[in-house]
Amino acid sequence: MTESKIDRFLGSLSNSKRLASQIVYHHTLPATAARWAEPATPWPNAIETLLQSVGIRALYRHQAQAIDLIRSGRHVMIATPTASGKTLTYDLPVLEQFLIDPDSSALYIFPLKALAQDQLQTFEMLADRLQPMPPTAAIYDGDTTAYRRKHIRQAPPNLVITTPEMLHLSLMAFHRKWAAFWSRLRMVVVDEVHSYRGVMGCHLSQIFRRFRRIAESYGNTPTFVFSSATVANPAQLAHQLTGLSVAVIKQNSAPRGRRHLLFLNPTLGLARAAILLLQTALKHNLRTIVYTQSRKLTELIAMWA
């Protein structure tokens, strides 16, 4: 068997005079194969065509399970790892809802504006394949110009992508100006839900409760979909944030490659150990990320390396 870059990297660590003595634990997690499933109810022809056009022949089992729950109106927390296809589990039911009711609306809430931009690109890529009348989408956040905000309020798109701050400051505070959007709201997606903790989580819990009351005043009880890759208590967190009881999907059925779990006990400091690991990884042409707890330390490690 040909030795991989990872194997060569691990070998160099084991033979390193400075790092070998710092390795205290090494465990290999085996690769797992994908598990597939189909939703209980077949997709409309337009969604089937869409999936084929983007090269998706089948869904992972956890995706199909989440989609079945969402389509039945259940509130869902999707707590599967990064790159397991969480976005598709709510984009597809939202697109299907637009096929059923072209006037319906949905709301996506992201903690970071950069995430909103990525999600808009993904949604528009899928929506453009629903011809001849693809659903419309727009970002409404702090970077949106005043002219653009007014236009979105007066003629809301099918999908509004926003942040918790703008949800509080605009969509809820001036909900009468958003009456057309609120009266058609069918689904709410809350991504990266693990970031809503501590003081921010406390604030958001009150915002979500007020959000639900406003929606009810317009005759709506939208379906909530929560998403996170790093939450240990998904049902509890969703309930604390919104007061809702949610179904939890956390068994990942996406394929996963072999992974190595390596623990080091640095003898010369964390930063020095991180630099040595980074240098060794780059020497073996490995794409590498170093996480630190401050911007200053990030800059120092980059400079020292």
Side-chain angles (χ1 to χ4, degrees):
M1 180 182 295
T2 305
E3 188 179 38
S4 68
K5 291 181 181 179
I6 292 291
D7 293 326
R8 290 194 293 271
F9 168 71
L10 294 172
S12 66
L13 292 184
S14 300
N15 296 324
S16 170
K17 294 180 179 179
R18 289 183 290 183
L19 289 172
S21 61
Q22 301 179 42
I23 300 174
V24 295
Y25 180 78
H26 178 203
H27 178 68
T28 301
L29 300 172
T32 58
R35 289 168 291 164
W36 310 95
E38 292 295 331
T41 303
W43 291 113
N45 290 334
I47 299 293
E48 287 284 4
T49 302
L50 181 156
L51 290 172
Q52 292 175 10
S53 69
V54 296
I56 298 175
R57 298 292 178 263
L59 298 174
Y60 300 133
R61 184 181 299 173
H62 68 271
Q63 290 178 316
Q65 292 172 341
I67 287 169
D68 286 339
L69 291 168
I70 294 169
R71 292 166 99 187
S72 68
R74 292 282 302 279
H75 306 299
V76 179
M77 165 69 88
I78 308 166
T80 56
T82 301
S84 60
K86 292 188 292 293
T87 299
L88 208 59
T89 60
Y90 51 76
D91 273 351
L92 291 178
V94 166
L95 290 169
E96 183 183 37
Q97 178 62 47
F98 295 148
L99 288 176
I100 297 170
D101 180 6
D103 292 329
S104 64
S105 60
L107 179 69
Y108 287 8
I109 304 168
F110 296 96
L112 300 174
K113 289 182 284 187
L115 292 174
Q117 293 288 344
D118 288 342
Q119 290 291 327
L120 177 63
Q121 292 178 11
T122 300
F123 182 85
E124 288 183 334
M125 181 272 291
L126 296 172
D128 286 344
R129 288 167 165 78
L130 293 181
Q131 297 298 333
M133 291 292 291
T136 55
I139 291 177
Y140 192 95
D141 61 19
D143 291 340
T144 309
T145 65
Y147 171 81
R148 180 65 176 153
R149 290 184 191 181
K150 182 178 180 180
H151 177 74
I152 292 173
R153 287 194 303 268
Q154 292 177 343
N158 294 107
L159 171 63
V160 172
I161 303 175
T162 191
T163 61
E165 291 78 13
M166 293 306 293
L167 175 66
H168 170 66
L169 294 171
S170 183
L171 275 82
M172 292 169 55
F174 300 98
H175 60 85
R176 290 181 180 85
K177 294 183 178 181
W178 290 86
F181 180 80
W182 282 99
S183 63
R184 307 193 310 255
L185 185 60
R186 298 292 180 268
M187 192 173 301
V188 179
V189 174
V190 185
D191 197 21
E192 301 292 326
V193 71
H194 59 270
S195 61
Y196 305 135
R197 58 187 180 184
V199 174
M200 184 178 183
C202 184
H203 289 323
L204 262 293
S205 69
Q206 301 304 315
I207 288 174
F208 280 128
R209 283 162 173 76
R210 186 156 58 93
F211 178 96
R212 291 176 58 201
R213 291 199 298 272
I214 293 174
E216 288 173 1
S217 73
Y218 285 90
N220 278 327
T221 54
T223 301
F224 277 76
V225 181
F226 305 92
S227 170
S228 173
T230 56
V231 60
N233 56 336
Q236 180 186 13
L237 177 60
H239 181 71
Q240 288 176 336
L241 278 174
T242 62
L244 296 170
S245 296
V246 302
V248 176
I249 301 295
K250 60 181 180 180
Q251 295 298 324
N252 181 33
S253 53
R256 188 186 68 193
R258 184 172 56 126
R259 297 188 295 176
H260 295 273
L261 189 62
L262 200 72
F263 279 74
L264 276 77
N265 184 18
T267 57
L268 299 176
L270 294 174
R272 185 178 292 271
I275 292 167
L276 292 173
L277 287 170
L278 176 59
Q279 289 176 328
T280 306
L282 295 178
K283 181 180 178 181
H284 289 84
N285 296 317
L286 292 171
R287 290 180 294 178
T288 308
I289 299 177
V290 179
Y291 290 96
T292 71
Q293 294 187 351
S294 71
R295 176 171 179 168
K296 181 178 180 180
L297 184 56
T298 302
E299 293 172 345
L300 288 173
I301 287 178
M303 181 178 64
W304 293 333

